[in-house]
Amino acid sequence: MDIESPEKLIELLDRHTYLADEGLATAAFLALRMGRPLFLEGEAGVGKTELAKTLASLLKAPLIRLQCYEGLDAAQALYDWDFARQLLHLKAAEAAGITDVSRLEGEIYDRRFLIARPLLKAIETQPSVLLVDEIDRADDEFEAFLLEVLSDFTISIPELGTIKAVKPPVVVVTSNRTREVHDALKRRCLYHWLEHPSFDREVAILLRRLPECTETLAVQVARAAERLRQAGLVKPPGVAETLDWTEALLTLGAKELDPGLAAATLGAALKYREDVAHVLGNGLLGHG
């Protein structure tokens, strides 16, 4: 798909119910045009992962997600051999009386016995969107390995040879900044920090994503979310939580936000007991 400008990308994202501001759209547009990974940093729930999903949708490309976690290693991200199927193949060959060791060794390391993990799958899939989610949760060693892969999109498999992407995937790397990601990886990418949306943008997001929501309710929930983000909470609500909160209210038939209903549904917006206690104890829900 030929996207000729950041403004056009804003329009296309909007059609897929993702409301991007000019800064984010420009960063994403440049990443697409320049073939560079897009590194998105910001608090949880501000729309980093959702952008990758939306890009995959508008580009009509599969989204391949690598969820990072402590202890993730190269094998879990690249490929693995299907040992169970290899063993079955050897037993079948033995039953058929095949004893040629060289032949059997060549057969069990055939591509059909290779399990492609996210990085290999993204390199082999044309086109694709690779989402490396929450890179800050992975170890330094994996971060260094990822930098190497993103440099040339080439993977070497000793038994099969080198696999190189015909066309590199669109790459979105996200971080919640639970730790600092090394500068080397950031330099490889185009960087953008995602803030919580402005009040007006959040109202627009609620109305766009939840058509049954009244404007009154959207305004009141956005105003309440704004207050909660300024309250020094352990985990202030992001857009994802604001949407969940509004959906919970709509499920209960709410047309507007009153303190009682807000308190009853607060678990949709806040995920820490200390935060809930602080909000309720200090009357931070107000009157919408």
Side-chain angles (χ1 to χ4, degrees):
M1 176 182 291
D2 184 28
I3 302 171
E4 60 270 18
S5 67
E7 291 74 24
K8 181 63 176 179
L9 182 56
I10 288 175
E11 179 188 329
L12 291 171
L13 290 170
D14 180 74
R15 290 180 196 171
H16 289 77
T17 69
Y18 189 98
L19 304 184
D21 61 23
E22 185 179 357
L24 176 58
T26 301
F29 169 76
L30 291 174
L32 292 172
R33 273 297 177 91
M34 298 168 64
R36 298 278 294 278
L38 177 61
F39 190 103
L40 298 178
E41 209 166 34
E43 297 201 28
V46 293
K48 303 183 297 295
T49 299
E50 193 63 30
L51 176 67
K53 293 178 179 177
T54 308
L55 285 174
S57 180
L58 72 87
L59 294 172
K60 296 181 172 58
L63 177 72
I64 299 172
R65 181 172 183 168
L66 174 60
Q67 180 63 52
C68 298
Y69 53 87
E70 187 177 352
L72 176 66
D73 61 27
Q76 293 162 315
L78 278 177
Y79 67 88
D80 207 351
W81 289 103
D82 191 336
F83 298 117
R85 288 188 63 206
Q86 286 175 318
L87 184 58
L88 285 173
H89 180 76
L90 288 175
K91 287 183 176 179
E94 183 183 3
I98 299 172
T99 58
D100 186 334
V101 175
S102 297
R103 174 184 167 184
L104 288 173
E105 188 175 293
E107 288 180 349
I108 63 171
Y109 287 109
D110 186 78
R111 179 63 181 82
R112 61 192 164 129
F113 296 119
L114 191 72
I115 302 172
R117 302 301 184 194
L119 291 181
L120 177 57
K121 192 179 295 184
I123 285 175
E124 291 188 315
T125 305
Q126 309 294 324
S128 65
V129 175
L130 172 63
L131 168 62
V132 183
D133 217 5
E134 300 182 328
I135 185 62
D136 53 317
R137 295 186 181 278
D139 303 323
D140 289 351
E141 293 80 5
F142 181 79
E143 189 181 317
F145 158 74
L146 180 65
L147 175 63
E148 183 182 344
V149 173
L150 295 183
S151 295
D152 55 13
F153 294 99
T154 299
I155 291 173
S156 179
I157 302 174
E159 300 85 354
L160 295 177
T162 299
I163 298 176
K164 183 175 178 62
V166 176
K167 181 181 179 182
V170 173
V171 181
V172 177
V173 183
T174 76
S175 168
N176 295 335
R177 210 173 187 180
T178 58
R179 70 168 177 85
E180 284 295 334
V181 175
H182 290 182
D183 287 344
L185 180 59
K186 286 186 176 181
R187 283 197 301 270
R188 179 68 188 81
C189 307
L190 296 178
Y191 177 85
H192 187 77
W193 172 270
L194 260 74
E195 298 280 1
H196 289 291
S198 66
F199 172 76
D200 290 339
R201 184 171 296 277
E202 188 150 31
V203 170
I205 290 170
L206 292 174
L207 293 174
R208 189 65 186 277
R209 296 292 294 273
L210 299 168
E212 67 274 28
C213 180
T214 64
E215 186 169 353
T216 298
L217 181 60
V219 166
Q220 292 174 336
V221 170
R223 189 171 291 132
E226 199 171 52
R227 285 199 299 271
L228 295 179
R229 289 170 192 149
Q230 298 168 357
L233 303 179
V234 175
K235 170 59 179 74
V239 180
E241 286 77 26
T242 308
L243 284 164
D244 286 345
W245 195 12
T246 307
E247 189 173 0
L249 291 163
L250 291 171
T251 300
L252 295 174
K255 300 297 182 185
E256 58 182 35
L257 186 68
D258 65 74
L261 200 54
T265 55
L266 195 55
L270 303 180
K271 310 301 178 182
Y272 285 86
R273 182 176 66 86
E274 298 89 338
D275 287 347
V276 173
H278 178 72
V279 169
L280 296 179
N282 290 278
L284 296 178
L285 293 175
H287 294 277

